[in-house]
Every structure is written in structure tokens, then in C-alpha cells.
Amino acid sequence: METTEAFVGLTCVDCGETFDPESATHRCPDCDGILDPDYDYDRIDLSREDLADRPFESMWRYEELLPFPKRAAVSMDEGATQLVECPSLADELGVGRVLFKDEGRNPTGTFKDRGQTAAITAAVQHGATDVALNSAGNAGQAAAAYAARAGLDSHVFLPSRAGFTNKAMVNVHGGDLTVVEGRIGDAGAAYADAMAEHDDWYSVKTFVTPYRHEGKKTMLYEVVEQNDWDVPDAVVYPTGGGVGLVGMHKAAKELRDLGLTDDLPSMYAAQSSGCAPVVEAFEEGKDVHEVWEVPDTICGGIEIPDPGASPLILDALRESDGGAVATSDEDILDSAVAVAQHEGLEMGATCAAAASGAWELARRGEFGEDDTVVLLNTGAGNKDDDVLRSHLMSKGV
Ligand SMILES: *Cc1c(COP(=O)(O)O)cnc(C)c1O
Ligand SMILES: [Zn+2]
């Protein structure tokens, strides 16, 4: 296996045991907990100047802080997305600055590419021939794309309500697509049945592979570096399984521990009130979510009723002095339209939960008037153009 110098192993977040990444490929061999890549930070010698000397061309420019070196990565130069200033939104929210991290500018149009470049690289390192996952849609499309690039076969299980673009592009990438009637849990059951029949399939599913949150860490490194090493006050993130939120919080702690920054940004989880298990657990002061009984939101990417990593998400929210907020689908779609009309920027329906969550947090007085607030736009607006246009139609436009 070709790994980076400081990457020392995978540590189980439940039992604390550390494993060799060569043999431990997915969940904890002892207790089935989530495995988290661990580094010997003393071996990482990285300064702001070192980074300034590197081209801003892909997330692999932070290779010292990733498990695999850039030369081993199955990459399409994902990441290195723009951080766009939003003066109208800053006025509307009553804060100093709003910065829009535009993950729509990734190879398959969402930040899922950052997770899949890392997970598929691991699959190649482990000698996999086939990768598999269930997904709400975007992760499946990204997995099919990166598998194609690596010459692997992909098996993607999507619920019937996944968007047309996702289904179509899995086909276009040559993936083996199974559309399952129902929602993400139904697709998960079909995936589990298939995995039981194919013991050579390698999972690239959320928090089953240890590498997806690791890839998504890089969003926070980029935001801080693009903001001239000024740590933003708040990051608002449309939260489903919490992969990106957990990854970004880890990244913020790493930068601080390496002496590159002093503070942590407050992390905020934004969900739809149609499926808000993380918000409910946060508000009730719990350490773990309860399964959301009847999930129903148009925001497919965050319709995750049973987020297995909720203890990690809730830790990140509390440790960073952040919070959690749920808004209605109606407000979320209105926000996507408002951002498109006031700033010109395109947000997907799921992604717009971050904008509508930020508006709600501002109404509650959560932000200071000089604060810098980052909105994580997890994907491109044109992946959901039909949903957004239909929303206008529901208003007679
Ligand atoms: C997957 C997805 C999310 C949620 O991501 P998590 O890291 O699992 O919480 C948000 N937005 C979009 C567009 C997605 O595809
Ligand atoms: Zn364990």
C-alpha cells in the first residue's frame, strides 16, 4: 500500500484500538465502530508558505494531511473550488461577510467527489475489482465516475426518488445501476443483500469506508487558506450523514494543532424539518440521534433518517460551539431562488438548506454583525433545475 509518511493507522472511534490500514479496510474488526485515519502530526512539516508555493489545482495539494500521496490518487483534480464573496447575502443576514464555498464546481458537480477520490484510491490500493454503495444519488454518481477512471466495476443502489441526472450518469459511466422502489433505507437493504452475495465487492459507502470524511476534510483547509488564514466564525452545512461536517471539524482541529491557526470555526448542521434527527438530538442535549420515523423532504441528499455517525456530528457541533437548525422545504427552495436572484449563484435544493438555515440562525441572533459566515454549497444548482423550476410553478411563475 502506498501511504503518506505521517499516516500511522486507523483508530476506532468506539473502542479506541488502532489498526493497520493494509488489513483493516472498513469498519473496526473488533467492535464494528467507525475507523478514523490517524496521523503522527510531529512528522508533518507544513507551513503557510509551503502551501502558498503550490498551485491551487486540486485537494491533493494537502497530501501530507491525507492517507495517500497525490501520485497514488485516482483523481480528476477535484476540490480547489472557489470561495465567492456574497455582499447582498451579508446585508440580508446582518453579518460582516458571507462566503460561498462552491462545491458545484467539482467533476461530477458535488463535493461527493472529494470523498470518492479518497475511497476509490483506497479500493485500488487494496486490490479491489468491484466497488459498491447505496446512496441518495450524488455519491453514487461520483463513485461510478471515479471507478470508471480507475478501471473498476461499480455497483450503485439508488432509491427511486433519486434525481434523473444521478441515475443517467451512473449509466453513462458504465456503472451497474439498481433503482430500488422507496427511499435510501430501501436502497440500503438491497445493497446489503447484494454485498452478502458478493464477498469480493468493496464498499465505498458513507462511514463504512474510513476515507470519505477524510477526503472531505480538505474543504476546510481550502476555506481557511482562501480566506488568508483567517478562520471563519461559522460554517453552515447541509447535513445528512454528516461526512463533510465531521471531516471539516477534524480538519479545523488539525490546522490548530499544527500551529497554522488559532481557532475553530463554529460548525452548524442545517437540515430539513422533514428529516431532522441531528437537530432534534442537538436540541434535546442527546449524544446520539433517534431514527426519524417518517422522513419526507424534497432534499434527497439530506434525507438520512438514521445517520450512524450522529455521535461524531453532535460532538463536532458542541466542541466547536456551533449548533443545529431545521427549516421547511418551502423555505429551503425559496432560499435557493433568493440566492440565485440576489447573488447569481446556483444552489441545489439540498444545498439550499445551508442558506435557509443561515437565514434562520441570523433571525435567532446566532451571528455577530462582524461575523464571517461560510455557506457550504455542496452541489451544483443545475442538478436540481427541475425541482427549482417546479417550485416557481407552485407559486404561479
Ligand atoms: C450527500 C449530500 C449532502 C449531505 O452530506 P453528508 O456529508 O453526508 O452530510 C449534502 N448536500 C448534497 C448535495 C449531497 O449530495
Ligand atoms: Zn472498535
Side-chain angles (χ1 to χ4, degrees):
M1 230 184 159
E2 193 171 3
T3 54
T4 44
E5 200 193 324
F7 177 39
V8 287
L10 295 166
T11 300
C12 174
V13 302
D14 286 337
C15 72
E17 202 64 45
T18 299
F19 300 91
D20 181 351
E22 195 99 40
S23 51
T25 57
H26 291 86
R27 302 281 291 218
C28 175
D30 288 355
C31 78
D32 203 39
I34 291 170
L35 292 181
D36 185 34
D38 227 341
Y39 302 83
D40 176 357
Y41 292 102
D42 291 337
R43 284 199 231 165
I44 296 175
D45 180 21
L46 192 63
S47 67
R48 294 180 180 188
E49 293 71 32
D50 293 334
L51 287 166
D53 285 343
R54 294 180 192 175
F56 195 77
E57 65 185 7
S58 106
M59 62 174 242
W60 292 97
R61 63 198 293 282
Y62 304 98
E63 64 180 344
E64 288 92 338
L65 288 157
L66 292 168
F68 311 109
K70 185 179 165 89
R71 65 175 174 275
V74 178
S75 173
M76 297 186 245
D77 290 347
E78 51 291 316
T81 58
Q82 301 308 302
L83 186 68
V84 185
E85 192 85 46
C86 294
S88 318
L89 291 184
D91 276 352
E92 288 166 40
L93 294 180
V95 298
R97 296 171 74 200
V98 170
L99 302 173
F100 187 92
K101 181 63 170 164
D102 197 1
E103 291 294 302
R105 307 183 196 202
N106 269 300
T108 75
T110 77
F111 75 141
K112 291 296 196 298
D113 293 337
R114 296 186 193 253
Q116 289 302 333
T117 180
I120 299 286
T121 298
V124 169
Q125 297 279 320
H126 286 130
T129 56
D130 291 69
V131 295
L133 77 169
N134 68 299
S135 143
N138 289 329
Q141 181 181 340
Y146 283 84
R149 187 155 180 95
L152 308 182
D153 289 331
S154 61
H155 306 278
V156 179
F157 295 80
L158 301 185
S160 46
R161 51 168 42 202
F164 175 73
T165 305
N166 292 142
K167 294 171 188 157
M169 294 313 291
V170 171
N171 293 147
V172 170
H173 288 299
D176 162 32
L177 173 67
T178 305
V179 178
V180 183
E181 184 59 37
R183 295 169 193 251
I184 188 155
D186 303 296
Y191 151 87
D193 287 348
M195 286 296 283
E197 277 179 32
H198 299 273
D199 54 10
D200 56 332
W201 286 9
Y202 183 104
S203 180
V204 289
K205 180 180 154 117
T206 296
F207 284 120
V208 174
T209 161
Y211 298 107
R212 281 174 58 175
H213 67 291
E214 209 56 17
K216 288 187 182 179
K217 275 193 326 194
T218 52
M219 294 190 289
L220 196 277
Y221 302 149
E222 289 177 13
V223 164
V224 171
E225 200 184 345
Q226 288 171 301
N227 198 35
D228 292 327
W229 294 97
D230 217 2
V231 176
D233 299 285
V235 176
V236 189
Y237 178 80
T239 305
V243 184
L245 193 146
V246 168
M248 284 191 289
H249 181 62
K250 179 178 179 182
K253 289 194 288 185
E254 289 175 329
L255 293 183
R256 183 194 61 188
D257 295 349
L258 288 168
L260 290 164
T261 56
D262 297 323
D263 310 306
L264 300 178
S266 295
M267 302 296 305
Y268 289 90
Q271 297 198 298
S272 161
S273 43
C275 185
V278 170
V279 177
E280 185 181 72
F282 182 81
E283 286 175 350
E284 293 177 0
K286 294 193 177 135
D287 297 333
V288 57
H289 75 288
E290 267 170 49
V291 178
W292 195 265
E293 288 301 336
V294 188
D296 190 22
T297 166
I298 203 160
C299 305
I302 54 172
E303 195 186 67
I304 309 293
D306 190 14
S310 69
L312 303 182
I313 303 173
L314 292 159
D315 268 356
L317 302 180
R318 294 187 177 119
E319 196 178 15
S320 70
D321 198 21
V325 60
T327 53
S328 68
D329 281 5
E330 177 79 13
D331 284 351
I332 291 170
L333 295 173
D334 281 348
S335 302
V337 172
V339 171
Q341 298 190 353
H342 301 181
E343 295 285 6
L345 292 160
E346 300 184 356
M347 300 191 93
T350 295
C351 321
S356 114
W359 252 292
E360 177 57 24
L361 290 166
R363 262 195 292 274
R364 293 182 193 168
E366 191 80 20
F367 303 135
E369 60 182 8
D370 296 326
D371 278 4
T372 297
V373 176
V374 173
L375 296 186
L376 228 304
N377 184 45
T378 42
N382 64 13
K383 280 194 141 177
D384 289 332
D385 52 1
D386 50 350
V387 175
L388 299 175
R389 184 65 187 85
S390 300
H391 179 63
L392 293 183
M393 247 179 273
S394 76
K395 305 190 161 226
V397 182

